[in-house]
Amino acid sequence: RRHTRYISVTGVQTCALPILQEIDLWGRNLAHLFCKDLSEIFYSFTHPIEAKINIYNMLIKIIESKNAHCQFNTPDKEGNSPWHYLASSITADYAKLKTDCSFSQFKNKVNLSINNIYGDTPLHTAFTMLGDPAAFYEFVLTDIYSPAEWLKSPRLGLKIKNNQKQTVLDMIIHTKNKLAASVINVYMAVVNYKIDLDDSSRSEEHTSELQSH
């Protein structure tokens, strides 16, 4: 029933979304639930291009709705923002599908540094929620922050530690995820010196480790 409600306000329809509120026992609002189920919604469509465009339109409606910045970055009872759930729902099929959809105009509303109660940011939960880290990172670095804007965009929190003292770079190295390493290496090759002017030795060590796997 929830999926029907999502899809009914996508596409050409322009009905306004209600103010997002807590709607389940975990304190998750419409944005949390939509992002959590995004993969299932994507594969429910017959045509992938149509699916991605409809999902894009729905996410835009949520982001633009009243109190969107607060609501889309509001944590549930485990401290997860909708971005945490999106990190576990983006698949390679979705990320690699090329459309004109772009969230770049909303990049200032994107917060990928929010920690849940486990200390994980959305960049961590691509691993801890059993998502596809490479697909999520490609989505972030294409649909949200295009390569041409990497130097001007907010820095990715690749060195933020969770409660287990793990950074995103540590997770990539530990899991030997070559696809995720490849995506992040391209990003770091562009912004590495900008990010790590005050910590260049550690960055170079991480970069060397990533490239060796």
Side-chain angles (χ1 to χ4, degrees), residues 127 167-177 181 205-213:
F127 286 97
T167 66
V168 172
L169 298 180
D170 292 330
M171 288 182 160
I172 294 174
I173 294 167
H174 177 72
T175 60
K176 299 183 179 180
N177 190 316
E205 178 183 341
H206 273 301
T207 303
S208 176
E209 287 184 81
L210 285 173
Q211 292 173 338
S212 69
H213 288 288

Side-chain angles (χ1 to χ4, degrees), residues 98-212:
K98 303 304 179 186
T99 68
D100 293 329
C101 302
S102 172
F103 295 95
S104 61
Q105 69 268 39
F106 298 108
K107 61 180 179 290
N108 292 330
K109 294 184 178 181
V110 177
N111 190 341
L112 300 178
S113 298
I114 298 175
N115 300 94
N116 62 18
I117 62 174
Y118 309 107
D120 292 327
T121 68
L123 298 174
H124 289 91
T125 57
F127 286 97
T128 60
M129 287 188 178
L130 303 180
D132 183 337
F136 180 61
Y137 299 158
E138 182 176 349
F139 166 76
V140 169
L141 295 172
T142 303
D143 289 17
I144 298 178
Y145 306 130
S146 68
E149 299 175 332
W150 286 354
L151 291 176
K152 297 182 289 184
S153 299
R155 300 170 181 174
L156 296 187
L158 300 176
K159 295 193 287 186
I160 296 174
K161 293 183 178 181
N162 61 14
N163 295 354
Q164 302 299 316
K165 307 300 183 184
Q166 293 176 309
T167 66
V168 172
L169 298 180
D170 292 330
M171 288 182 160
I172 294 174
I173 294 167
H174 177 72
T175 60
K176 299 183 179 180
N177 190 316
K178 293 183 178 180
L179 292 177
S182 177
V183 174
I184 293 301
N185 271 331
V186 172
Y187 172 74
M188 291 183 69
V190 174
V191 302
N192 188 41
Y193 295 107
K194 290 284 186 179
I195 289 176
D196 296 295
L197 287 174
D198 58 347
D199 195 12
S200 59
S201 61
R202 182 175 178 183
S203 170
E204 289 169 2
E205 178 183 341
H206 273 301
T207 303
S208 176
E209 287 184 81
L210 285 173
Q211 292 173 338
S212 69

